[in-house]
């Protein structure tokens, strides 16, 4: 087993796992300093391309961004999302996951879903492709407004069954998205592998956020997003100063000229 995956597994019930997204080298360099897992999420579709659904993200999009991220990731585990419709059968899942691993040199892939895609997940794992699971709100197939999951007894039971199924199939961790606190807690306590929460309470073994959201680059108004810093004002300041100095001919002075 990949040594970085072993390290992640050992954190269960000991220390919290930090997971963050990166879509390019410069971001990945900063994320990698703190995160245990760097995720090239297909959220890049909405964050960078304004797509109204991650369904529109292509395999080429994911591979190109992941190759850039790979240049910045030195120590964390690098996971890449398999985009929508790239894992609808065992063969397509294997062909596309192999391509992602070969072309991006990432450590693992992430797929959205439980029982419905369990054959593909088993097939990937049987063929030595490390897989991270994703349950709860599944952006690739969600219809209409994003809603939290695990409210009813039936939904909770299905989520727990899916989580156990994923664990028994060999996934090394599961992202739990927008799952009600008691259900996320129950799932986490039922598993030997770690859960990584996003909008799923403090009871998960780790947390993931979209980095652009937490640094205030992306104007997201989702309940679980906390803006830890407002980066936009610093970007604005640098660009404003450059513009002023160009217009006043202060820049480039002799120091910056050949
Ligand atoms: O696409 C993504 O960035 C994700 C995380 C937010 C979990 O799947």
């Amino acid at each position: 087993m990949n040594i970085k995956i072993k390290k992640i597994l050992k954190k269960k019930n000991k220390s919290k796992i930090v997971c963050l997204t990166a879509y390019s080298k410069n971001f990945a360099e900063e994320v990698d300093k703190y995160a245990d897992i760097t995720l090239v999420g297909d959220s890049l579709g909405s964050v960078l391309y304004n797509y109204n659904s991650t369904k529109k993200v292509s395999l080429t999009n994911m591979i190109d961004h992941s190759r850039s991220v790979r240049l910045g990731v030195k120590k964390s585990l690098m996971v890449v999302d398999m985009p929508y419709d790239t894992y609808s059968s065992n063969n397509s899942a294997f062909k596309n996951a192999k391509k992602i691993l070969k072309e991006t040199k990432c450590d693992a892939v992430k797929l959205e879903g439980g029982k419905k895609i369990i054959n593909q997940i088993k097939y990937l794992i049987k063929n030595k492709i490390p897989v991270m699971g994703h349950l709860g709100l599944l952006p690739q197939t969600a219809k209409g407004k994003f809603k939290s999951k695990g409210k009813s007894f039936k939904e909770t039971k299905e989520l727990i069954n899916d989580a156990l199924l994923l664990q028994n199939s060999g996934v090394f961790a599961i992202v739990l998205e927008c799952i009600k606190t008691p259900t996320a807690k129950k799932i986490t306590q039922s598993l030997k592998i770690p859960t990584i929460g996003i909008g799923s309470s403090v009871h998960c073994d780790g947390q993931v956020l979209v980095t652009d959201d937490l640094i205030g680059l992306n104007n997201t108004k989702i309940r679980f997003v906390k803006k830890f810093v407002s980066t936009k004002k610093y970007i604005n300041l640098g660009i404003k100063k450059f513009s002023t100095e160009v217009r006043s001919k202060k820049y480039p002075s002799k120091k910056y000229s050949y």
Side-chain angles (χ1 to χ4, degrees):
M1 187 191 280
N2 178 321
I3 176 166
K4 288 179 185 174
I5 292 181
K6 263 191 196 161
K7 263 170 90 178
I8 302 284
L9 286 168
K10 277 193 186 156
K11 285 183 182 284
K12 176 100 188 173
N13 298 324
K14 290 201 182 80
S15 56
K16 292 281 184 187
I17 297 163
V18 173
C19 177
L20 284 169
T21 62
Y23 312 134
S24 64
K25 170 180 162 269
N26 295 342
F27 267 68
E29 274 174 0
E30 298 313 307
V31 164
D32 191 55
K33 289 175 188 163
Y34 300 96
D36 302 296
I37 302 173
T38 300
L39 172 69
V40 188
D42 62 356
S43 52
L44 63 82
S46 50
V47 177
L48 302 183
Y49 297 101
N50 264 6
Y51 294 160
N52 57 6
S53 159
T54 52
K55 267 196 174 98
K56 293 185 185 163
V57 175
S58 68
L59 192 64
T60 309
N61 286 151
M62 292 310 295
I63 290 175
D64 288 347
H65 282 281
S66 301
R67 288 179 64 195
S68 174
V69 167
R70 180 73 272 174
L71 301 172
V73 173
K74 300 282 176 280
K75 63 169 189 57
S76 58
L77 182 85
M78 182 177 156
V79 180
V80 174
D81 262 342
M82 288 195 70
Y84 176 71
D85 210 22
T86 61
Y87 51 97
S88 47
S89 69
N90 287 0
N91 284 344
S92 66
F94 182 57
K95 186 179 122 231
N96 292 323
K98 221 169 82 178
K99 187 173 164 75
I100 293 175
L101 258 81
K102 185 167 174 247
E103 294 189 18
T104 73
K105 308 274 181 288
C106 68
D107 299 295
V109 290
K110 176 164 80 61
L111 280 72
E112 290 182 10
K115 197 174 159 191
K116 280 189 193 151
I117 56 156
I118 207 65
N119 289 335
Q120 291 93 309
I121 288 183
K122 282 183 180 165
Y123 194 69
L124 291 184
I125 293 169
K126 189 177 135 205
N127 284 288
K128 311 228 170 328
I129 296 185
V131 176
M132 189 176 193
H134 187 146
L135 292 176
L137 185 103
L138 307 177
Q140 288 178 5
T141 46
K143 287 186 188 92
K145 236 181 124 202
F146 280 16
K147 284 196 203 117
S148 61
K149 303 284 170 185
K151 279 177 267 187
S152 65
F153 177 75
K154 183 173 168 271
E155 223 173 57
T156 301
K157 205 170 150 215
E158 274 169 16
L159 282 167
I160 296 176
N161 287 344
D162 271 350
L164 289 169
L165 201 57
L166 288 179
Q167 169 178 271
N168 297 339
S169 304
V171 310
F172 67 87
I174 306 175
V175 167
L176 300 182
E177 181 158 357
C178 291
I179 294 182
K180 289 275 177 194
T181 301
T183 308
K185 188 176 178 184
K186 219 180 249 175
I187 296 172
T188 302
Q189 287 172 344
S190 311
L191 298 179
K192 293 189 197 86
I193 57 167
T195 59
I196 314 290
I198 174 159
S200 299
S201 88
V202 74
H203 300 291
C204 295
D205 299 299
Q207 297 294 327
V208 56
L209 273 185
V210 167
T211 303
D212 295 61
D213 286 345
L214 76 92
I215 64 171
L217 261 189
N218 199 32
N219 278 329
T220 320
K221 287 186 179 58
I222 303 176
R223 177 171 167 164
F224 60 74
V225 171
K226 178 173 175 182
K227 199 201 275 190
F228 289 81
V229 63
S230 300
T231 316
K232 267 199 175 167
K233 66 176 176 224
Y234 298 105
I235 296 177
N236 183 284
L237 191 64
I239 293 170
K240 190 174 162 190
K241 278 188 172 175
F242 171 80
S243 314
T244 308
E245 290 197 12
V246 167
R247 291 195 175 108
S248 67
K249 298 182 192 159
K250 188 175 173 194
Y251 176 86
S253 60
K254 270 193 177 161
K255 186 183 166 191
Y256 297 101
S257 306
Y258 294 103

